[in-house]
Amino acid sequence: WVRKAMALDALERNDEAVAAAESGIALAPAVAEHRVRLAEIHRSRNDLAACFAAATKAVELDPRCAAGWESLADVRFHRGELAEAIADCDRALAADAESIDAYSIKAAALLGQERWEESARSATRANELGPNSPNAYVVRAKAYRALGEGAKAAADLQRHIDLLSSRAVESAPLHRVLAQALELAGRYDEAIGHLTQVIDAEPQAADAILTRANLYLKTDRDDRALADA
């Protein structure tokens, strides 16, 4: 049931994926891993409350369930509960000292608390464990920028951009993330190109339209900014 649920989730057949995961839980209600898979499916649907509930049950069943603590940390981070997210990351790391997600989420939460050096260290560990995972690079780039280490920040942003660009499947979310990274790197024309891809796919994407308008202003193209406005 768990494998079926994850396969259905990958196909974006969300309701069927949830039903399959819940069937697996009914057959083995004391297995924490089944609750984690359900939490991950809910997270892919951006249902934070349901993700949190499933992950909470997972760690109640098995307090050393690292993936459960990671899911809780992820939800807390997106709720802005930074201290709690860090604590959950530490619990995940106590159970699995090589958890890439725990180091990555912790780095982002520390960044949110303006603890730049600690954030950079946590992101570095995530990068060491998972060098092909782009998220920790952009977090560390922001930490380096705050620390005044511009060259290191630029190198991390480039690595982030390269990893995202190497992905075979193009999508509006991917173009959105690339645009953000390129804007951070000061590569405004390229960022505009990716934002245009987002807007072509999602004509009502107000955030992308506004960001593109601001970039047009930064590059002295007031007429285009006005058209976006």
Side-chain angles (χ1 to χ4, degrees):
W1 284 107
V2 172
R3 290 181 181 177
K4 180 180 179 180
M6 299 310 289
L8 289 165
D9 186 49
L11 294 170
E12 298 185 357
R13 292 164 61 179
N14 297 327
D15 291 340
E16 293 172 80
V18 169
E22 289 177 342
S23 294
I25 289 169
L27 291 170
V31 178
E33 182 187 354
H34 292 182
R35 310 282 179 165
V36 170
R37 298 289 87 80
L38 179 59
E40 290 172 350
I41 292 166
H42 283 309
R43 184 67 184 90
S44 72
R45 303 171 71 191
N46 206 33
D47 188 340
L48 296 183
C51 174
F52 192 85
T56 297
K57 186 62 178 178
V59 298
E60 287 174 355
L61 289 167
D62 180 4
R64 291 192 58 77
C65 177
W69 291 116
E70 290 161 14
S71 290
L72 289 174
D74 179 47
V75 173
R76 290 190 193 278
F77 172 74
H78 284 89
R79 287 177 176 173
E81 300 168 4
L82 302 182
E84 293 85 351
I86 292 167
D88 283 343
C89 286
D90 287 339
R91 294 183 182 100
L93 291 167
D96 177 4
E98 295 189 349
S99 168
I100 298 169
D101 286 344
Y103 279 115
S104 186
I105 296 166
K106 184 175 180 178
L110 289 165
L111 186 77
Q113 291 186 331
E114 300 184 359
R115 294 161 64 180
W116 317 124
E117 292 181 355
E118 293 170 85
S119 175
R121 283 198 296 271
S122 189
T124 295
R125 187 61 181 139
N127 291 334
E128 290 170 349
L129 293 166
N132 293 321
S133 179
N135 293 339
Y137 286 102
V138 75
V139 171
R140 190 171 66 176
K142 291 177 180 179
Y144 280 151
R145 179 170 288 184
L147 291 166
E149 299 188 52
K152 289 184 178 180
D156 272 354
L157 282 172
Q158 186 58 55
R159 178 65 173 155
H160 176 72
I161 291 163
D162 290 345
L163 286 168
L164 290 175
S165 299
S166 69
R167 294 185 174 180
V169 180
E170 290 201 5
S171 64
L174 175 58
H175 285 297
R176 195 184 297 272
V177 173
L178 272 168
Q180 292 169 351
L182 289 161
E183 182 183 1
L184 276 172
R187 293 160 59 179
Y188 298 141
D189 286 339
E190 293 170 82
I192 287 169
H194 285 286
L195 287 167
T196 299
Q197 295 273 13
V198 174
I199 295 163
D200 287 346
E202 303 174 4
Q204 304 304 315
D207 62 324
I209 294 168
L210 178 60
T211 301
R212 187 175 69 173
N214 288 332
L215 292 179
Y216 279 142
L217 288 173
K218 287 183 178 180
T219 53
D220 298 321
R221 285 176 276 183
D222 294 9
D223 55 334
R224 294 193 178 185
L226 186 60
D228 273 352

